[in-house]
Amino acid sequence: MTPPEAREDSHFGYLQCTPDGRILGASPQLARLLGDSSVPSMVDRAPSLLDLYADDADRRRVQGRLRDSLPADEARWLRADGTSVWVRTRLWPVTHADYGGVAFEIQVEDVTERRHLEEQLRQAQKMESVGQLAGGMAHDLNNLLTVILSQLDFALTCLREGELEEAEQDLADARDAAHRGTRMVQHLLAFSRRDHLKLEPTDLSEMVDRGSHLLRRLLPDGIEIRTRGKGPIRVLADASAVEQILLNLATNARDGMEGRGTLTLRHGRETMTEEDVARQGWGRTESFGTLTVADTGTGMSPQVVARVFEPFFTTKAAGRGTGLGLPMVYGLMKQHRGFVTLESEEGRGTKVTLWFPLATSDADDPTSPVPDTDTSSPAPATDHGPDACDPEGSREAGHPETGRHRPQILVVDDDEILRRVTARALRTREYRVVEAADGLEALEIVEEFGPPDLVISDLVMPGLTGPELLEHLRASYPGQPFLMTSGHGSGSLAREEGMPPELPFLAKPWTVSEL
């Protein structure tokens, strides 16, 4: 084997070291790469291979694997002036005559420029994802503003007509919508670590119960929700943040199960052992309240599992995910002074466990566990009739098969509260209204009862978008009147999403009079 000091490779530097990392020799090219005047100067500065690594984590990782072999690897190495350079290394065993035994030879390649280009690309992708996230947040906030404006319009009308109880309810609904917007902003601030959560003693069993009802509205009918638990367990938690965590996990589970499967919410009390801490490299050896979300979806490969908590990492198609869901879960759990673990296997689903600090009373006086309870949340029955808040509506009046004395309008929106508000606003103007939660449900209604006088549809919906719904309907009913609405700003984006330029468009937030 040619001694490394005799090599002059324009692309690579070389060094040889003992199994414990002591440097036996190096090439002049490597010395120049690291900013040293000569090989002896480099060896005096860094007598061990481990001294070259800039990061303690890399140093520990290499130290644990050097005696066997080290596959192609990339890390930052220290230069003589204290700066660092990204290098790619390959290692193989060699016989070293002077050392008197087996040593290692390492080929070193400078990949700094490539890493900088990759970082620039990642930054560009991050900015694109931030733009997508901002667009999604603007859509949700516009939906909330539409609800608030409509409820205030309803309240003003009721006050003028002396209907104080109805006005009070409308104002309460507007207040609830405003609180939803407040929580949305708080969760974003929590993710950016610019806001702190309010940790209070909270019962895990109650959070699971509320969470199951919340998720029932989010998940399609083909997904069954089961809850299991071991009695009341009090933990320190921010209830609204936990709600956001469950929404993020359920969204991932829904996509992984492709609309059909079982989602299980289980709460309990578990102890993190010294073995757990050693295996994970983090944690505390104490008891925690745990909330586990498990699905029966497609699962993930080990390579994907290793990166799921990286911000902006996503396996979804472009435009379908920002890669911020699980990192947000991680950030929120960190602010809870807790932890999150994830287990997944391809074809066998995914299980995410949230570890919450126990409240003082539970930590000092743990309750005995009770047997698991298992309940299922059945899919709700579909109701296309008038909203319960409409005192004058009736199921018969909402069906197209009844008389055509009043125009029939089909309202299609995946936001339940906004859909209900839209329907109520139209009914106050004497329209008959049928509601659909998405485009597929709207097609089923039209197939059963025939075309309505008008379809009012949201632009972006899961399953079938507004433009896709329009295309399906006009294939059978060419003259079908259609009004598109969206919280994604002006109609220009709607045109980009495939909406015909001549189609009427109503931007959210709108008022009742504008509708």
Side-chain angles (χ1 to χ4, degrees):
M1 176 65 66
T2 304
E5 58 270 16
R7 298 192 183 189
E8 275 293 342
D9 192 313
S10 60
H11 296 291
F12 302 104
Y14 294 88
L15 68 78
Q16 290 178 354
C17 67
T18 64
D20 61 1
R22 180 168 59 89
I23 295 177
L24 299 172
S27 69
Q29 172 69 10
L30 180 60
R32 287 194 294 271
L33 170 63
L34 298 179
D36 291 285
S37 58
S38 64
V39 171
S41 175
M42 188 200 82
V43 176
D44 286 343
R45 176 176 64 88
S48 170
L49 170 68
L50 301 178
D51 296 328
L52 292 174
Y53 283 86
D55 296 326
D56 290 336
D58 288 331
R59 198 174 295 118
R60 290 192 298 269
R61 175 174 54 83
V62 171
Q63 187 176 23
R65 302 169 65 184
L66 186 59
R67 289 186 175 276
D68 301 320
S69 66
L70 193 66
D73 187 33
E74 291 189 8
R76 288 191 306 121
W77 278 18
L78 288 170
R79 290 172 49 86
D81 60 3
T83 61
S84 63
V85 59
W86 278 98
V87 298
R88 178 177 174 84
T89 56
R90 292 178 61 246
L91 177 148
W92 54 85
V94 296
T95 300
H96 195 283
D98 294 339
Y99 172 60
V102 175
F104 288 113
E105 176 153 291
I106 301 177
Q107 181 188 73
V108 184
E109 178 185 5
D110 183 357
V111 294
T112 305
E113 183 177 358
R114 194 203 74 204
R115 294 287 299 222
H116 285 167
L117 290 174
E118 290 176 350
E119 181 60 30
Q120 290 174 5
L121 176 60
R122 278 195 294 270
Q123 184 65 23
Q125 292 172 333
K126 286 181 182 180
M127 295 307 296
E128 181 181 359
S129 298
V130 167
Q132 294 171 354
L133 177 64
M137 290 299 302
H139 175 269
D140 292 343
L141 285 173
N142 276 332
N143 281 354
L144 288 175
L145 289 172
T146 302
V147 171
I148 293 171
L149 290 171
S150 300
Q151 296 290 358
L152 292 176
D153 281 342
F154 295 151
L156 287 173
T157 300
C158 291
L159 287 173
R160 294 190 190 102
E161 297 176 357
E163 300 173 349
L164 299 183
E165 290 186 7
E166 289 81 358
E168 183 179 359
Q169 182 59 52
D170 291 331
L171 291 173
D173 290 341
R175 178 196 58 201
D176 291 342
H179 284 321
R180 286 176 58 196
T182 300
R183 289 197 297 270
M184 190 182 304
V185 174
Q186 288 174 340
H187 296 151
L188 282 175
L189 292 173
F191 176 65
S192 63
R193 297 189 178 94
R194 294 182 182 274
D195 193 23
H196 295 285
L197 303 182
K198 186 176 182 181
L199 304 183
E200 299 175 324
T202 308
D203 186 359
L204 268 180
S205 62
E206 292 181 0
M207 285 196 291
V208 168
D209 184 58
R210 288 198 303 268
S212 64
H213 287 86
L214 172 70
L215 300 184
R216 181 65 275 162
R217 299 195 297 269
L218 170 71
L219 301 177
D221 296 347
I223 294 179
E224 179 186 10
I225 299 178
R226 295 180 178 178
T227 60
R228 295 183 177 182
K230 294 186 176 181
I233 298 176
R234 292 172 63 79
V235 298
L236 292 175
D238 182 305
S240 64
V242 175
E243 177 182 297
Q244 181 65 35
I245 290 173
L246 290 176
L247 286 173
N248 283 331
L249 296 179
T251 299
N252 285 345
R254 178 196 63 194
D255 296 342
M257 290 187 283
E258 299 178 347
R260 188 166 298 278
T262 301
L263 184 73
T264 302
L265 306 181
R266 180 196 298 269
H267 73 279
R269 178 189 174 111
E270 298 184 38
T271 299
M272 192 174 288
T273 65
E274 292 182 359
E275 291 77 10
D276 295 330
V277 175
R279 183 181 67 255
Q280 296 162 170
W282 50 259
R284 298 192 302 271
T285 54
E286 61 183 65
S287 293
F288 293 84
T290 58
L291 198 167
T292 299
V293 181
D295 65 60
T296 57
T298 55
M300 293 177 278
S301 67
Q303 292 80 9
V304 173
V305 170
R307 300 187 60 190
V308 291
F309 293 113
E310 293 182 15
F312 301 102
F313 172 75
T314 178
T315 58
K316 297 178 182 178
R320 297 298 302 273
T322 62
L324 289 174
L326 285 174
M328 181 178 286
V329 171
Y330 173 86
L332 290 173
M333 288 307 299
K334 187 173 181 180
Q335 289 204 43
H336 276 89
R337 300 194 293 274
F339 306 96
V340 55
T341 56
L342 183 145
E343 303 172 40
S344 186
E345 187 176 341
E346 288 183 291
R348 303 191 66 177
T350 300
K351 180 174 74 172
V352 179
T353 300
L354 311 171
W355 301 69
F356 294 93
L358 291 168
T360 304
S361 58
D362 275 37
D364 295 340
D365 184 22
T367 57
S368 300
V370 298
D372 281 3
T373 58
D374 186 353
T375 60
S376 299
S377 175
T382 302
D383 183 0
H384 305 309
D387 191 277
C389 296
D390 178 17
E392 297 182 0
S394 68
R395 183 175 301 275
E396 180 182 0
H399 280 189
E401 60 194 6
T402 60
R404 306 290 288 185
H405 57 284
R406 289 186 296 164
Q408 175 83 34
I409 298 179
L410 174 59
V411 175
V412 190
D413 201 307
D414 58 310
D415 187 309
E416 180 186 5
I417 296 178
L418 182 57
R419 187 173 69 247
R420 189 168 68 236
V421 165
T422 305
R424 179 182 173 187
L426 294 169
R427 290 185 182 118
T428 61
R429 300 304 196 270
E430 302 301 323
Y431 292 108
R432 293 180 300 130
V433 182
V434 179
E435 301 173 41
D438 54 44
L440 294 176
E441 186 177 357
L443 289 179
E444 293 175 359
I445 294 173
V446 173
E447 182 179 356
E448 182 176 359
F449 299 111
D453 294 296
L454 173 66
V455 175
I456 300 178
S457 173
D458 192 22
L459 176 71
V460 180
M461 297 180 293
L464 203 66
T465 66
E468 290 170 340
L469 172 62
L470 172 65
E471 182 180 354
H472 280 79
L473 287 177
R474 287 194 169 171
S476 301
Y477 309 99
Q480 174 63 58
F482 208 98
L483 171 64
M484 198 77 72
T485 180
S486 176
H488 281 294
S490 65
S492 59
L493 177 62
R495 316 300 176 195
E496 295 176 8
E497 293 288 337
M499 191 183 88
E502 74 280 0
L503 199 70
F505 178 80
L506 178 63
K508 301 173 185 175
W510 43 256
T511 64
V512 172
S513 60
E514 289 171 341
L515 174 65

